[in-house]
Amino acid sequence: MSKTYHVAVLVGSLRKASINRKLALALTQLAPPSLKLEIVEIGELPLYNEDIDVDPVPPAYSAFRAKLKNADALLFVTPEYNRSMPAPMKNAIDVGSRPYGQSAFGGKPGAVLSASPGAIGGFGANHHLRQSMVFLDVRMMQQPEAYLGGAGAFFDDAGVLGESIKPFLQKFIDAYAAWVAQHA
Ligand code: FNR
């Protein structure tokens, strides 16, 4: 039987109507059977502080780290805030990277998709996130790059994904499935 890879999906926006969350959910639907995508929530993680990362470690930290460690691969779906990744996403990365020497990230395959109603498609967030992943030794997929501009038009009022962006999302998640199979 072929293997199923468990993918932890981190979404950089906390708002209910988030376009990026909708995109993450669309990717779970478009993913081939070899991938099982699950959004791991990051909104309740206390801001990272070494002073509280001691016994007893905040339960939210432990639960989050366990979910990352149990995953075979990582997928980041994020908006851009002020030309970088939103603070909750950076906080989640910081929490997952500690305690020193026990990072939950190291060696896993990953990919990032950024989306924005603006024209640049979250390029700055996408590459700042990639910068952290270099240090954390996450094997990030290079192609296809995913900076999705004009994202305000991707979903209709009922939340249904439009046909214009669907082929790219399919191409992205299929390439990611191949990447994960190669690097997990
Ligand atoms: C933004 N937005 C934004 N967009 C962009 O393309 N580049 C940017 O640097 C920023 N900066 C920024 C900062 C802050 C604090 C907010 C709240 C928003 C707009 C952003 O792309 C838009 O609100 C998206 O819809 C957010 O993504 P979600 O929540 O729809 O997934």
Side-chain angles (χ1 to χ4, degrees), residues 150-163:
F154 288 171
F155 295 90
D156 68 16
D157 291 344
V160 177
L161 180 67
E163 289 301 319

Side-chain angles (χ1 to χ4, degrees), residues 16 45 55 60 62 64 66 75 88 100 121-122 131 149 151 156 163-164 174:
K16 287 196 198 79
L45 293 171
D55 201 22
S62 312
F64 178 69
L75 179 59
Y100 183 76
Q131 180 172 317
D156 68 16
E163 289 301 319
S164 61
D174 288 346

Side-chain angles (χ1 to χ4, degrees), residues 11-23 77-84 86 115-125 151-152:
V11 178
S13 171
L14 303 185
R15 73 188 186 100
K16 287 196 198 79
S18 162
I19 299 164
N20 285 274
R21 176 172 286 267
K22 285 184 205 156
L23 285 167
V77 183
T78 188
E80 174 176 271
Y81 282 4
N82 299 307
R83 295 286 182 261
S84 186
S116 166
I120 302 173
F123 176 88

Side-chain angles (χ1 to χ4, degrees), residues 106-175:
K108 294 186 197 287
V112 54
L113 179 150
S114 55
S116 166
I120 302 173
F123 176 88
N126 192 303
H127 276 262
H128 278 176
L129 194 147
R130 284 180 183 273
Q131 180 172 317
S132 293
M133 291 305 121
V134 170
F135 179 64
L136 294 173
D137 196 24
V138 173
R139 315 288 154 86
M140 294 296 277
M141 182 172 76
Q142 309 300 327
Q143 295 288 341
E145 295 166 284
Y147 321 113
L148 307 187
F154 288 171
F155 295 90
D156 68 16
D157 291 344
V160 177
L161 180 67
E163 289 301 319
S164 61
I165 193 64
K166 206 170 177 179
F168 178 79
L169 294 180
Q170 190 67 65
K171 179 179 164 184
F172 176 84
I173 200 69
D174 288 346

